[in-house]
């Protein structure tokens, strides 16, 4: 096992939690963070939240839960090879999508539009809100009371206005600077995971084809390699052998480029990492191919008419839910109703953001379907 690097986040040198707690021993502080995520309600909801395909469209497609597990797998590999803290990396991977709405990205767009005059909505900020405030499980505090490094890593983007409100954890969005390397690699592990599993899910769904993908350089290279080695291989095995080689190429390239950047900048500790330019990166050549694949998926999968059709239905459904709750907050379940007295828009937004796909569909039916009794 690689030794811990000087620039790694170190649980014993954490900037701590917002509410002081006794040490986590025998676990490290970051192990405790990771465990709190796994035991959270928001984490279990990821099982029924869309990545690209809505949960009821098929049992084998990725959900936000399996996506997060794949990010954690890639992130841990990278962390181990670079001597970083694996537990913090895993925490960030498992937490990175906790704030996602039902129905993937359209959910965020709808809620952001609904909240335009009321502070807006951003799923990444919502992830921090989930771990800071919305989880209600502990006797002494709201949220999960995670370490500063976990909270800093969860917050990937932030407007200046929100950054001023959030204080220290968001300071880099005002003053410049980077988060830990653990956060930087988790971010890229997220990209590696979704680009590759969306290829796999896209092919499985039949919305994209091998022939189309053969036009994409990074896919074609690995496909040809597999076909040369196993001329008779077809279907699932051919796809998986190609995808696993793509993942490997991206992970190895990311490792090598990041090592070059580390050798150039030589950060002596985590604070030095924060002051450097981004250190985790792909090489220019692989980045260009990775982006080509991203563009392909955007045009051919995420914009496929069948995906758009589902997204449009989801938009209408969420908008109608929002309107119904705002028009009549007494439709809210009691715990959300109580919060609506102080700020109805934020309470409704939090309630909808937390819903799984199927819960949102059921709730819409309960509110709008006259034959639905309860
Ligand atoms: Mg993600």
């Amino acid at each position: 096992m690689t030794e811990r690097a000087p620039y790694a986040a170190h649980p014993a040198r954490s900037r701590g939690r917002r509410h002081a707690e006794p040490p986590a021993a025998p676990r490290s502080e970051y192990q405790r963070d990771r465990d709190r995520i796994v035991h959270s309600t928001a984490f279990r909801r990821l099982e029924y939240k869309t990545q690209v395909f809505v949960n009821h469209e098929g049992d084998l497609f990725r959900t936000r839960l399996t996506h997060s597990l794949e990010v954690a797998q890639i992130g841990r590999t990278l962390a181990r090879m670079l001597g970083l803290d694996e537990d913090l990396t895993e925490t960030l991977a498992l937490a990175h999508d906790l704030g996602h709405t039902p129905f993937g990205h359209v959910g965020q767009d709808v809620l952001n539009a609904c909240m335009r005059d009321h502070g807006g909505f951003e799923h990444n900020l919502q992830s921090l809100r989930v771990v800071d405030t919305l989880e209600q499980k502990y006797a002494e505090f709201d949220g999960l009371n995670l370490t500063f490094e976990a909270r800093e890593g969860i917050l990937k983007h932030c407007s200046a206005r929100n950054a001023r409100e959030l204080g220290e954890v968001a300071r880099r969005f005002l003053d410049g600077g980077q988060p830990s390397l653990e956060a930087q690699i988790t971010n890229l592990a997220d990209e590696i995971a979704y680009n590759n599993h969306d290829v796999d899910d896209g092919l499985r769904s039949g919305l994209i084809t091998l022939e189309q993908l053969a036009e994409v350089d990074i896919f074609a290279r690995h496909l040809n390699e597999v076909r040369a080695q196993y001329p008779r291989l077809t279907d699932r095995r051919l796809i998986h052998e190609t995808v696993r080689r793509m993942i490997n190429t991206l992970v190895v390239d990311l490792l090598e480029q990041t090592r070059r950047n580390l050798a150039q900048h030589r950060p002596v500790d985590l604070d030095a990492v924060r002051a450097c330019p981004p250190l985790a990166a792909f090489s220019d050549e692989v980045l260009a191919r990775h982006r080509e694949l991203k563009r392909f998926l955007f045009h051919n999968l995420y914009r496929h008419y069948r995906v758009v059709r589902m997204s449009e239905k989801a938009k209408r459904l969420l908008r109608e839910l929002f309107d119904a709750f705002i028009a009549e907050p007494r439709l809210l379940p009691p715990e959300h109703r109580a919060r609506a007295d102080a700020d109805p828009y934020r309470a409704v937004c939090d309630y909808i953001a937390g819903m799984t796909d199927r819960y949102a569909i059921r709730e819409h039916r309960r509110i709008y379907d006259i034959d639905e009794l309860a």
Side-chain angles (χ1 to χ4, degrees), residues 328-348:
E328 182 45 276
R330 281 175 298 188
L331 287 171
L332 289 165
E335 64 276 21
H336 295 275
R337 172 75 206 287
R339 296 185 44 244
D341 291 339
D343 182 350
Y345 283 88
R346 189 54 63 186
V348 168

Side-chain angles (χ1 to χ4, degrees), residues 50 144 164:
T50 300
L144 305 178
R164 275 189 289 275

Side-chain angles (χ1 to χ4, degrees), residues 45 49 101-102 321 325 350-357 359-360 363:
R45 287 181 174 146
K49 291 196 180 198
T101 60
L321 275 181
F325 290 124
D350 284 338
Y351 180 42
I352 294 178
M355 292 179 181
T356 61
D357 299 350
Y359 184 91
E363 187 73 336

Side-chain angles (χ1 to χ4, degrees), residues 220-233 238 242 245:
R221 277 172 198 240
H222 294 101
L223 178 67
N224 294 338
E225 204 181 284
V226 176
R227 278 183 168 150
Q229 201 180 345
Y230 305 102
R232 273 198 275 272
L233 209 59
L238 177 63
T242 305
R245 281 168 171 76

Side-chain angles (χ1 to χ4, degrees), residues 33-296:
D33 282 352
R34 189 261 329 273
D35 298 347
R36 285 186 177 176
I37 300 293
V38 170
H39 289 278
S40 71
T41 309
F43 183 69
R44 287 195 296 281
R45 287 181 174 146
L46 294 176
E47 183 174 2
Y48 298 104
K49 291 196 180 198
T50 300
Q51 186 69 27
V52 174
F53 298 92
V54 177
N55 194 258
H56 61 247
E57 292 182 286
D59 291 349
L60 297 177
F61 297 125
R62 269 67 173 188
T63 64
R64 294 240 168 243
L65 180 64
T66 58
H67 161 69
S68 300
L69 296 175
E70 290 184 31
V71 177
Q73 177 270 311
I74 293 169
R76 285 193 75 121
T77 301
L78 290 163
R80 187 171 302 193
M81 298 305 292
L82 291 166
L84 300 173
D85 192 282
E86 286 182 50
D87 300 315
L88 178 59
T89 307
E90 191 178 15
T91 301
L92 296 174
L94 298 181
H96 85 282
D97 272 352
L98 289 180
H100 254 290
T101 60
F103 307 117
H105 282 275
V106 296
Q108 156 167 309
D109 297 342
V110 171
L111 285 185
N112 193 30
C114 291
M115 295 294 287
R116 184 170 300 134
D117 300 325
H118 307 277
F121 177 85
E122 208 271 294
H123 73 83
N124 182 237
L125 198 60
Q126 190 73 2
S127 296
L128 186 65
R129 191 167 159 73
V130 166
V131 301
D132 275 0
T133 313
L134 296 178
E135 283 286 323
Q136 312 240 308
K137 310 179 90 80
Y138 295 88
E140 302 203 348
F141 44 79
D142 283 344
L144 305 178
N145 198 29
L146 301 184
T147 59
F148 178 87
E149 295 73 28
R151 297 174 61 238
E152 173 195 44
I154 287 171
L155 193 64
K156 288 191 286 192
H157 350 264
C158 187
S159 66
R161 192 172 57 91
N162 286 325
R164 275 189 289 275
E165 247 170 64
L166 287 167
E168 194 54 25
V169 75
R171 212 175 65 189
R172 72 178 192 275
F173 299 102
L174 299 171
D175 300 354
Q178 304 302 320
S180 65
L181 264 164
E182 285 81 356
Q184 295 182 37
I185 58 164
T186 305
N187 225 337
L188 294 171
D190 183 23
E191 284 201 23
I192 295 174
Y194 72 68
N195 273 319
N196 283 283
H197 65 51
D198 288 352
V199 165
D200 187 51
D201 283 351
L203 287 167
R204 185 186 298 280
S205 68
L207 299 190
I208 55 176
T209 64
L210 272 182
E211 291 64 39
Q212 279 177 300
L213 271 162
E215 306 283 311
V216 182
D217 184 85
I218 193 169
F219 189 88
R221 277 172 198 240
H222 294 101
L223 178 67
N224 294 338
E225 204 181 284
V226 176
R227 278 183 168 150
Q229 201 180 345
Y230 305 102
R232 273 198 275 272
L233 209 59
T234 55
D235 305 329
R236 299 307 315 164
R237 285 185 206 242
L238 177 63
I239 294 165
H240 185 70
E241 284 290 341
T242 305
V243 169
R244 80 181 182 104
R245 281 168 171 76
M246 281 206 296
I247 295 175
N248 196 58
T249 295
L250 291 164
V251 167
V252 169
D253 180 79
L254 175 52
L255 266 178
E256 288 173 354
Q257 185 59 45
T258 303
R259 284 192 177 124
R260 284 193 288 273
N261 294 345
L262 284 165
Q264 190 192 335
H265 292 275
R266 302 190 175 282
V268 291
D269 58 17
L270 175 52
D271 280 330
V273 168
R274 291 187 173 116
C276 284
L279 295 169
F282 295 111
S283 68
D284 290 343
E285 191 199 340
V286 165
L287 182 64
R289 288 196 231 135
H290 180 63
R291 286 195 173 142
E292 186 197 356
L293 175 61
K294 246 175 137 161
R295 275 195 304 275
F296 171 87

